[in-house]
Amino acid sequence: MLRYTLMRLGIFVGCFVVVWALVYSGVAPRGLGASNGMWMIMLALVVSAPISFVALRKERDRASERIAPRLDRSIDRVKSNLAANRSQEDEAVDAARNPAPAGAPTEDTAKDTAADAVVDTDAGNATAAESGPDSEDVKASEGVKAS
């Protein structure tokens, strides 16, 4: 990569010298006032870019072959870190949505227990427990008519 960079810089310096010679010989126009230096740099960049693109193609391909494996490893590492972060975030969101203390039954478990107490499977029919206000909700959710 250093070799490619030095070659590119060499082409730019060569173009800058040619542009400088053309400007001071009067072939190329001068910049206005104090902008002459900037004008020569910009002109040298415009001229050197296509030359570098064509002349340094093989060197650019060699440099990219050396960089590609490192880049692939870096991308894989970033992707695995993102996946780990996503799973941590999902766990945090799930924990925030269900803030049940350890050992205490959750709301779903309490409903299942109440529904099991209402249904009498030994007698073959469903009977409602008359012990609490939730018995009406359990009857309605089980499809049992109150008698």
Side-chain angles (χ1 to χ4, degrees):
M1 185 69 188
L2 180 64
R3 181 178 173 181
Y4 172 75
T5 304
L6 291 176
M7 291 173 78
R8 179 94 190 250
L9 186 62
I11 289 174
F12 170 74
V13 169
C15 288
F16 182 77
V17 169
V18 169
V19 167
W20 178 79
L22 291 174
V23 167
Y24 280 105
S25 67
V27 176
R30 291 184 136 210
L32 296 174
S35 68
N36 193 35
M38 185 61 77
W39 165 251
M40 289 189 301
I41 289 173
M42 296 301 291
L43 195 56
L45 280 171
V46 168
V47 171
S48 70
I51 294 172
S52 296
F53 183 74
V54 173
L56 300 179
R57 180 169 294 172
K58 289 181 183 177
E59 187 61 34
R60 187 173 52 250
D61 290 342
R62 275 188 236 132
S64 67
E65 286 175 3
R66 284 180 282 188
I67 292 173
R70 289 188 300 191
L71 185 61
D72 290 339
R73 285 193 304 268
S74 296
I75 289 172
D76 290 341
R77 187 175 61 240
V78 167
K79 284 182 179 179
S80 66
N81 287 343
L82 284 174
N85 288 342
R86 273 191 220 116
S87 67
Q88 287 176 351
E89 182 178 330
D90 291 343
E91 291 170 1
V93 169
D94 291 343
R97 286 184 181 163
N98 300 325
T106 61
E107 186 177 326
D108 294 336
T109 309
K111 285 182 182 177
D112 291 342
T113 306
D116 290 342
V118 171
V119 177
D120 182 15
T121 56
D122 292 336
N125 58 3
T127 59
E130 300 294 333
S131 63
D134 291 336
S135 62
E136 297 298 324
D137 293 336
V138 173
K139 286 183 207 175
S141 68
E142 294 293 324
V144 176
K145 289 186 176 179
S147 37

